[in-house]
Amino acid sequence: MINVRIINTSSHPLPAYATAGSSGMDLRASITSPIQLQPLERSLVPTGLFIELPIGYEAQVRPRSGLAIKQGITCLNTPGTIDADYRGEIKVILINLSNEEQTIMPGDRIAQMVVQQVEQVSWVEVESLSSTERNAGGFGHTGKS
Ligand SMILES: O=c1ccn([C@H]2C[C@H](O)[C@@H](COP(=O)(O)OP(=O)(O)OP(=O)(O)O)O2)c(=O)[nH]1
Ligand SMILES: [Mg+2]
């Protein structure tokens, strides 16, 4: 557990882990009126949350499986990346992939946020890379069954 500074300008409680073993905390729509999403329509939905992650951490904004299977709603840019140095409002890019209009209500839990450690790398530019069993094989190279 790490302490993370947060400002909550929404009228909803802080995101919380639903169970002891949850990876993510659900994010709620901080909106005053419903958002109607037509098929394939997308919307940038505010959460009212501003966070200060320590350097070496990121937050990922991920879809909720329940919304995906029941309503065809997902995050367009999944996983969304919240950089450690971002001080703006966390927003969620939702898209309606169903063939019906879908409605987001104020306070709906629209996505989940996972905080993780992340490495930055320093490039070592070379002319060749080491050999492996896989080498350049990919994109189905090992078969399906
Ligand atoms: O789902 C998301 C994704 C991003 N962000 C915020 C936090 C993140 O630190 C910033 C930039 O995100 P990203 O790097 O994905 O977007 P970009 O298009 O590369 O914008 P920028 O040039 O500002 O980095 O936008 C969100 O609030 N929600
Ligand atoms: Mg960026």
Side-chain angles (χ1 to χ4, degrees):
M1 282 271 182
I2 57 163
N3 291 327
V4 175
R5 290 156 65 90
I6 186 167
I7 295 171
N8 182 8
T9 65
S10 80
S11 53
H12 310 298
L14 286 179
Y17 295 107
T19 64
S22 292
S23 298
M25 293 176 274
D26 288 344
L27 297 173
R28 293 178 184 270
S30 178
I31 51 179
T32 50
S33 53
I35 294 174
Q36 252 93 32
L37 286 178
Q38 301 306 316
L40 293 184
E41 192 180 0
R42 60 186 185 268
S43 180
L44 187 60
V45 183
T47 66
L49 301 173
F50 301 71
I51 64 175
E52 186 175 324
L53 288 170
I55 293 294
Y57 288 82
E58 65 162 339
Q60 294 186 1
V61 178
R62 302 185 188 171
R64 294 187 68 207
S65 62
L67 282 182
I69 190 65
K70 290 178 197 155
Q71 294 180 262
I73 292 175
T74 189
C75 299
L76 180 56
N77 60 325
T78 183
T81 303
I82 310 298
D83 299 287
D85 57 357
Y86 180 67
R87 296 290 178 268
E89 182 176 9
I90 295 174
K91 297 183 181 179
V92 180
I93 306 172
L94 291 182
I95 185 164
N96 173 10
L97 297 183
S98 78
N99 52 18
E100 296 163 348
E101 179 184 281
Q102 301 292 340
T103 303
I104 309 296
M105 299 297 293
D108 274 0
R109 288 180 286 145
I110 52 172
Q112 59 187 314
M113 187 169 68
V114 175
V115 175
Q116 290 186 337
Q117 285 187 291
V118 65
E119 298 282 354
Q120 288 187 331
V121 303
S122 170
W123 295 120
V124 180
E125 197 171 5
V126 295
E127 296 300 324
S128 65
L129 302 174
S130 66
S131 297
T132 68
E133 183 184 348
R134 173 180 288 279
N135 269 332
F139 313 101
H141 149 270
T142 61
K144 197 169 177 187
S145 59

